[in-house]
């Protein structure tokens, strides 16, 4: 049974979802661009998305809500693809698992630098994004902690939490430096170097677990 009026053979809900995606993509262009702006404007987003403002308010209450949606979209893309890469890696092989994680992140932000700028750089100057970046850092640190507990049978301690935040924060800063050209390495070199650094931390965690 039909679930709504059809326009050009497509339901209204589907068209609205497409417009929402267009607005999020436009927001990512603005906030994550090479010369990213610290904040969105309804007019600017609608102009870039080639949509009337009424379609903006059809999907978002205000520009802050869109800003949050753009950030959540970037986090979701990175988190989902990285988790899939880790799950697909050879179990029990630290190097393979760590490399799969790093390689996916580097590939994602190399293919679409807007994602890296959103997550690692652009939040400075935008209080809302700064808060979301802090929340996502804690989320990713929690994932690192859970993986360490599962792989090494480590008891959850403040030392483990500190190590997890160190890993997440250090990798984020490394990605920022690579994206802005401070570290002039190619993607393969970044993957290899970051993998070795994370394996050093992994070895320390294993040592702590066995001591």
């Amino acid at each position: 049974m039909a679930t709504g009026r059809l326009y050009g053979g497509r339901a209204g809900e589907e068209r609205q979802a497409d417009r929402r995606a267009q607005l999020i993509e436009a927001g990512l262009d603005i906030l994550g661009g090479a010369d990213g702006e610290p904040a969105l404007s309804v007019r600017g987003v609608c102009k870039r998305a080639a949509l009337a403002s009424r379609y903006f308010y059809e999907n978002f209450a205000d520009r802050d809500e869109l800003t949050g949606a753009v950030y959540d979209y970037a986090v979701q893309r990175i988190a989902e693809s990285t988790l899939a890469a880790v799950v697909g890696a050879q179990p029990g092989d630290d190097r393979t698992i760590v490399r799969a994680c790093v390689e996916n992140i580097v590939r994602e932000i190399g293919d679409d630098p807007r994602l890296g700028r959103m997550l690692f750089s652009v939040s400075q100057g935008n209080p809302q994004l700064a808060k979301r970046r802090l929340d996502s850092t804690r989320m990713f640190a929690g994932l690192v902690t859970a993986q360490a507990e599962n792989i090494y049978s480590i008891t959850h301690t403040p030392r483990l939490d500190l190590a997890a935040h160190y890993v997440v924060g250090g990798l984020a800063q490394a990605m920022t430096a690579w994206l802005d050209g401070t570290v002039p390495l190619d993607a393969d070199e970044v993957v290899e170097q970051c993998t070795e650094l994370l394996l050093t931390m992994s070895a320390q965690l294993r040592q702590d677990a066995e001591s």
Side-chain angles (χ1 to χ4, degrees), residues 37-76:
E37 300 175 23
L40 299 173
S41 70
V42 173
R43 177 179 294 181
V45 169
C46 290
K47 180 178 180 180
R48 187 173 290 268
L51 292 172
S53 60
R54 67 186 179 91
Y55 293 124
F56 179 95
Y57 293 108
E58 172 187 72
N59 289 280
F60 303 101
D62 53 33
R63 64 183 185 179
D64 286 345
E65 186 174 332
L66 173 59
T67 297
V70 171
Y71 189 86
D72 291 345
Y73 169 76
V75 169
Q76 184 177 10

Side-chain angles (χ1 to χ4, degrees), residues 11-147:
E13 292 86 350
E14 185 179 350
R15 290 165 63 87
Q16 181 177 345
D18 287 347
R19 289 191 290 266
R20 179 183 175 87
Q22 285 177 254
L23 290 164
I24 289 175
E25 186 72 14
L28 186 58
D29 276 346
I30 294 170
L31 292 171
D35 299 315
E37 300 175 23
L40 299 173
S41 70
V42 173
R43 177 179 294 181
V45 169
C46 290
K47 180 178 180 180
R48 187 173 290 268
L51 292 172
S53 60
R54 67 186 179 91
Y55 293 124
F56 179 95
Y57 293 108
E58 172 187 72
N59 289 280
F60 303 101
D62 53 33
R63 64 183 185 179
D64 286 345
E65 186 174 332
L66 173 59
T67 297
V70 171
Y71 189 86
D72 291 345
Y73 169 76
V75 169
Q76 184 177 10
R77 272 187 57 178
I78 295 289
E80 288 183 353
S81 63
T82 301
L83 180 59
V86 170
V87 170
Q90 181 177 347
D93 184 340
D94 282 7
R95 179 174 294 277
T96 301
I97 293 171
V98 171
R99 183 184 173 84
C101 174
V102 174
E103 189 170 33
N104 181 78
I105 293 172
V106 171
R107 178 180 57 78
E108 284 276 18
I109 68 174
D111 290 345
D112 191 348
R114 299 175 305 167
L115 298 175
R117 297 188 190 105
M118 272 297 297
L119 297 181
F120 308 135
S121 306
V122 117
S123 59
Q124 297 175 2
N126 184 313
Q128 183 187 4
L129 288 179
K131 173 64 166 60
R132 283 183 175 268
R133 184 180 183 185
L134 177 60
D135 290 342
S136 65
T137 296
R138 289 170 174 163
M139 180 197 71
F140 283 118
L143 292 176
V144 171
T145 298
Q147 286 291 317

